[in-house]
Amino acid sequence: MRASLVFLDALRIKTTVVSPERPFFHPLILDPSEAKVAIVTPPHFTNLDQVSTKRRSALMMAQTGPPPMKAGRLYVNPEEEDQMEISGFRPHTLKTAVVWFFIIITVGLLRLFFYWLPHLFIKATHSRCSLAEATTVLLKDQWKQWFNSTVKTEEQTVPFKNSQTVHQSQTSNESAKQRDGLIRYFICKKIKYIWDKEMKEFTRLRGFDKDRACSFFYQQTGLAYDEQRKRQVLYGINSIRVHVAPIIKILFKEVLSPFYVFQVFSVSVWFADDYTIYASCIVFISGLSIIITIYQTRKMQRALRSTITSSTIVTVCRGGDVYEDISSDDLVPGDVIEVPRHGCMMQCDAVLVSGNCIVNESMLTGESVPVTKTPLPNPLHASSQEAMFDIKKHSRHILFCGTHVIQTRYYGSHKVNAVVLRSGFLTAKGELVRSIMFPKPVDFKFNRDTYWFIGILAFLASLGFIYTLILMVRNGDTVSDIIIRTLDLLTITVPPALPAALSVGIVFAQQRLKKAGIFCISPRGINICGTINVVCFDKTGTLTEDGMKMMAVAPSPKGVFEHEIRNMNRLHNQLIISAMATCHSLTIIDGHVTGDPLDLIMFEAVDWVLEEPGEEETRFDMIVPTIVHPRVRGGNQPMGEDIGVVRQFTFSSSLQRMSVITRNLGANNFDLFVKGAPEMITSLSKAETVPGDFHDVLMAYTQHGYRVIALAWKALPQKLNYAKLQRITREQVEKDLNFLGLLVMENCLKPETTPVIQTLREAAIRNIMVTGRCSQMNPVIQMLREAAIRNIMVTGDNMLTALSVARECCMVDRTDRIVLVQAYPPQDDNTSPEIEFVFADEMEKKYSKDSIALQLDNDRFHFALTGKSWAVIRQHFPDLMSKIVVKGTVFARMGPEQKAQLVESLQALDYFVGMCGDGANDCGALKTAHAGISLSEAEASVASPFTSKKPTIECVPNVIRQGRAALVTSFGIFKFMACYSLTQFISVLLLYWIGANLTDTDFLIIDLFIVTTLSITFGRTGPCEELVKELPPFSLIAAAPIMSILAQIAIQLATQVYCFLHVLRQPWFVPYIDNEDDNYVSYENSAVFLVSSYQYITLAVAFSKGAPFRKPIFSNYLFLMNIAICLVGCLWVTIQPPQGLADIIELLVFPSIPYAMVHVGIALFNCLLSILVETYVMDNTSLQGSCRNFLKHSLPSAQTKYAAIEEDIAGNPSWPPVSQSAVSLAVVFQRLDSAHHVPKDLNTAPGKEILEDLIEDSDSETRSIKSLSGVTPGHTQNAAASYTQRQLSTEGGHHNTEQFETPLLSDGAANSSGGIDNPVVTSFDDNGRYTTFL
């Protein structure tokens, strides 16, 4: 027992990771009465009064996010993920003196207890007070973790204020300053909380990302040195520092852990009892283990520090044109920095206010595609309504800390400037590092149950303590002997090696995962993977290939779809060609066109050339930084088809579109091209340009799994000049568009997808696709289906595309029915939200009237809904959420936050959730899930416990298999260690009856050579290749494991008692005589020791389970060899050992070989009985099912919430109320789009008025673009030519042409002609910002 804990300790895993009424209907679509679908309003969807009391709590959606705040409690970060309850304390002299008195008389044991639970020490030595008087605060987060922080005071000689801003509202940071220049604050989880004297509360220190107008950032002209130092007192050093703990600190932390404290206690008892052999071994190996732990901990901390911590020299503006180079550690929010032209690694979060940047954000997003960052919209220039800054809405204008700026672009030689938004741990990178340093605790029932079981063992030890005390007092033993014997019994009963032993299976599982290219940064999560019964999948890049190919173009030049064009050489619609060539965010880096894969495919399909003239640092010497033209020019005018991209409005996931403003060379007006989600583009287009069968055509493509993008165009007024174009906002121009057509792209399934889904389904694991055609089942999908693991798809793609993929990968069978859940928000104060259930199947299929009604008892229907419907249901139908989540399979158009909300909702219903994704949109869900599996190797993958080197979902069943094997191994080892301790406990109690004990060598053989080796090789058995529907047990406080342990202990007890009594009746028996030398060699000792040695081997074999979760025991060759060696050794010392060996191991050999063979026979009978009971009784599935059903009916809490909901749905065949009438899906989606996209009156829109104001400022103005055709990079030339300007007729979309003679732009970039009567003078202000004077 003693020695086993030493070797197992070396295997411990360090888990610290360092590395209502009708909705609005569009008048052109349909009347609501035409929709023959079932409409449900909140009061009618379900009646909880009709639900049994037993299931009512399960039907109510469990709380997601932070728990509700309790009345009378104080909180920091209220209603946020990091919400914590806070209490103030101040020192109390009397209480402190009393506590230290008891610490002294308990020889420091009380202080050790307080070291493990420091919040109790604060409560014991301090008195509760108001936060205003507190010197120490206690904080408790939503996972019941306690933190204590000291309230500090720091002097700031001059009150902090924003002298440069005209923004009058005071932020929480500003109001938190003291008038006397003192700042009270504390730091918790690397975040500073400042005392707000007016609000009388601590508020979280924030940067400039809250309560700021967009104009605020354009008013920042730089901080003087003194002002910067004042802010540094508040914000601290701009550095994400990972502290490498000193060796002495790690040493004391390890030694004072409960595990090593118990080790020290055990060693002390053993030395006092002269057990010097293993006591010395344990000291040596424990010391070696501590040294290894210290080395690994510091190595990982140094690795994380080298990866995370960085510093560089940055250029900051001190006001005007004064710039100064400083260390990035000195940056504070409000600093104006220059982004170097050659690029840099961002050391803070900053808002771009001038110039463009090409950025690689793979560290945060996991996607290495270059992203274009543009300046924050300036409402002062746009003359629009003041807009408040929102970090999510304006993320395309923010340079995030840790991202790599590849290159910058601006006009001429002027600077690219950004305003520091956040610094240090407040940045996006800081939040990522904090999630590593303070992860969400793993709350696994198996782990909790181990503590309960150890408590039961401790209770048994107390009974043995009383038994021993009575015996030894009766025998007249000395006090010292009584103390040593009773304490020694405690070290036997409670296995100190248990925590290390439970890590064995996890260690081997982690090694097997690593060999398979799956890396785990949270090993404790491997066991949880064994309980997964739901897997959520992203679609694009996870289930489907990353790349796509252009399939077809469906042009609509006259408001009617023409025949699709699959050969791009036959595409002659110039507007569509221009849109495909210009409406993208591609750029040239190192001579190669790079950018979003979809943009690349679209651009390459038209076979045009992209040019960005000039060297990298001088590209903005040109008015137009990007020129596109055909690879093979047509006609006699070599540059007549060149198009310049004047301005770009980058893609926004919230807006679901991007756009560019372009100009043909020589044209006298600008064009706007827009591409995006078809539903969004049509909502922005003129109704007469949208084909009447738009939704039918779109549905025809998306039902086959194609990715569809819509294109639109608009000719901007001729009077809109270049300078005013730079001041316009996208909302002013992205309206009243002309619909051009659809781009159709194919995104194929990965070949590994379907078999995995099939395997999970057959293993009873639910798969959910959070984002087809079942032509050939993918191996991965097939594997998941065979395991009956629920699959869920969650994606940002189109609903019909997602449904097609779900069919194709067999996530949904052909015979399964899909019900669309459409939720409509209230359109005004007089309407209520509504929800409808619609069949997504083709209604042309032949179904009988009875089959159209949902057959809920066979569980053959699936819910599918979009992110917009999810938001409406979550807000207006919260009681319906549980049913939607239980039956939902496809979730489309889901945002990143909604993906995480889905995972939380599943967890709230007692599901164990796995999430597999590859991009930035999945990071939140990956972090929230029980087991997040990232298919990206970027730094953002640290949000996920698992990272697969191979970007396919084949890793999902592998992780589940390894998790199941590790969990079953942990179960087996726990039962083995518990039975081993109790078996040894029985042996000692039997020998205590006669005043004897096991000898020092007996303990050494059992603990070191039998139990330790078997515990290590026990966990090497690999997982079974097949995923079965049965889930492994994960609760120790359950009937099966408890009955198993009790049965085995009863068998071992009976055997030992029989052998102990049987040896007493032998004619050659000599009774043991108590002696002062503690010589325990006797026949009683031999009988108990020898039979118990066989019992340890028997227990290891009985608890080493094979199928269905692990391979057979015969596949573990080391374990078989270990058993063989131990068995041969036991047989040798039992039957006829040499006398010299018997003397060494302190064994009294039986004089009769036939009796020794009887002893072996008893051990064999013990072995067979133990294995038969464990295999055919405890593992009997019928018996286990009967026990579960009994507990389910007798203990309602034993039933999971999702099971109760499924029973309720099955018992209510009238729900959901799906109409039997046929209805076109196009009509359904039209209605949903109308409800969520309410058209604006373009004639009264504020944007139109502003646009007209801008136009009226100039009577006539034209601007040409320098031609770059035939010009080498870095050179320009002047030319004059005639060009054809395309204009779209308002009648039917016919194309007419008019001839214009327009000279090219003359030399001079700063001063240029803006028209004959309206000169335009372009210059730069003192801060390098582009300014135009009219």
Side-chain angles (χ1 to χ4, degrees), residues 143-144 441-456 498 502 524 527-528 910 912 930 967 971 974 1034-1037:
W143 299 289
K144 311 301 181 183
V442 179
D443 185 19
F444 190 34
K445 185 170 175 46
F446 176 80
N447 297 333
R448 298 196 307 268
D449 290 349
T450 56
Y451 297 108
W452 285 100
F453 224 98
I454 290 175
I456 296 175
L498 182 60
L502 293 177
R524 286 170 49 182
N527 274 350
I528 301 180
D910 297 336
F912 286 92
H930 289 108
L967 182 56
F971 240 84
F974 183 90
F1034 56 89
S1035 174
L1036 289 171
I1037 310 299

Side-chain angles (χ1 to χ4, degrees), residues 1183-1196:
L1183 181 61
Q1184 291 179 356
S1186 299
C1187 292
R1188 282 195 296 266
N1189 291 332
F1190 173 77
L1191 292 176
K1192 175 180 169 183
H1193 291 89
S1194 59
L1195 300 173

